[in-house]
Amino acid sequence: MDILDKTDLQILRILQTNSRLTTKEVASRVHLSTTPVFERIKRLENEGYIRKYVAVLDAGKLNRGFVAYCCVKLLRFNRSVALDFTRMVKDIPEVTECYNITGEYDYMLKVLAPDMKYYQEFIINVLGTMDTLGSVTSMFVMDEVKHDYGIPL
């Protein structure tokens, strides 16, 4: 891994907060001219520190504000089963995050849905059709207290 200097980290902090800033605006905030900041941003992108730029949407306004965390235990766990499960999960639009975890469960999914009824149908008609599924435990978000998109730098 390349070593990031203080200016690189400052640029990353700025872009995490608002990636729509122009290179000129970022340069002004880090007290450099536009060209070196442009080159630094391109390097950070090319080296994978900046993976992509996205717009953060309001799930509630888009009728996807019902958030469930779904813990999945597979019937058995081996390389083939894990690859099949992750391949299927990647194609499910309601699943916005999926983590292979330690402990009692094999995976934890974050699922966005319009409401409880939709989530129930999702469990039965989507996850429930997977042959490798052993059990599912769901937890529902009552209130979002904190949701930071950035990485502390």
Side-chain angles (χ1 to χ4, degrees):
M1 182 170 96
D2 295 322
I3 296 180
L4 301 179
D5 66 15
K6 184 175 127 183
T7 304
D8 291 331
L9 293 172
Q10 192 174 7
I11 290 169
L12 291 173
R13 277 189 214 98
I14 291 166
L15 290 175
Q16 275 192 136
T17 303
N18 183 355
S19 65
R20 292 192 69 191
L21 293 174
T22 65
T23 304
K24 184 177 179 180
E25 291 169 320
V26 175
S28 169
R29 293 179 186 199
V30 297
H31 309 294
L32 289 175
S33 63
T34 305
T35 301
V37 170
F38 175 81
E39 290 170 354
R40 282 174 181 262
I41 291 172
K42 284 296 163 205
R43 180 178 52 80
L44 292 166
E45 291 170 349
N46 291 336
E47 292 177 359
Y49 291 100
I50 299 172
R51 292 176 35 197
K52 67 180 180 176
Y53 298 92
V54 299
V56 178
L57 307 179
D58 186 312
K61 289 186 181 208
L62 295 166
N63 197 29
R64 290 293 182 266
F66 184 82
V67 181
Y69 284 91
C70 178
C71 295
V72 173
K73 179 135 186 83
L74 302 177
L75 286 175
R76 64 187 186 286
F77 194 88
N78 61 43
R79 180 180 173 83
S80 173
V81 171
L83 287 173
D84 287 345
F85 178 79
T86 57
R87 198 170 314 142
M88 288 185 280
V89 165
K90 287 177 182 179
D91 291 332
I92 302 171
E94 292 88 351
V95 176
T96 60
E97 298 174 40
C98 175
Y99 302 97
N100 179 217
I101 59 174
T102 63
E104 184 178 344
Y105 298 99
D106 299 311
Y107 291 93
M108 183 171 66
L109 315 176
K110 180 178 181 182
V111 180
L112 300 184
D115 54 37
M116 177 66 83
K117 183 68 177 163
Y118 186 99
Y119 181 74
Q120 178 188 26
E121 294 293 324
F122 169 81
I123 293 296
I124 294 167
N125 297 319
V126 178
L127 292 185
T129 63
M130 296 180 178
D131 293 336
T132 58
L133 190 72
S135 66
V136 174
T137 298
S138 300
M139 295 165 282
F140 306 106
V141 174
M142 296 189 307
D143 185 27
E144 184 176 274
V145 176
K146 180 179 180 181
H147 188 150
D148 285 339
Y149 294 96
I151 296 170
L153 298 173

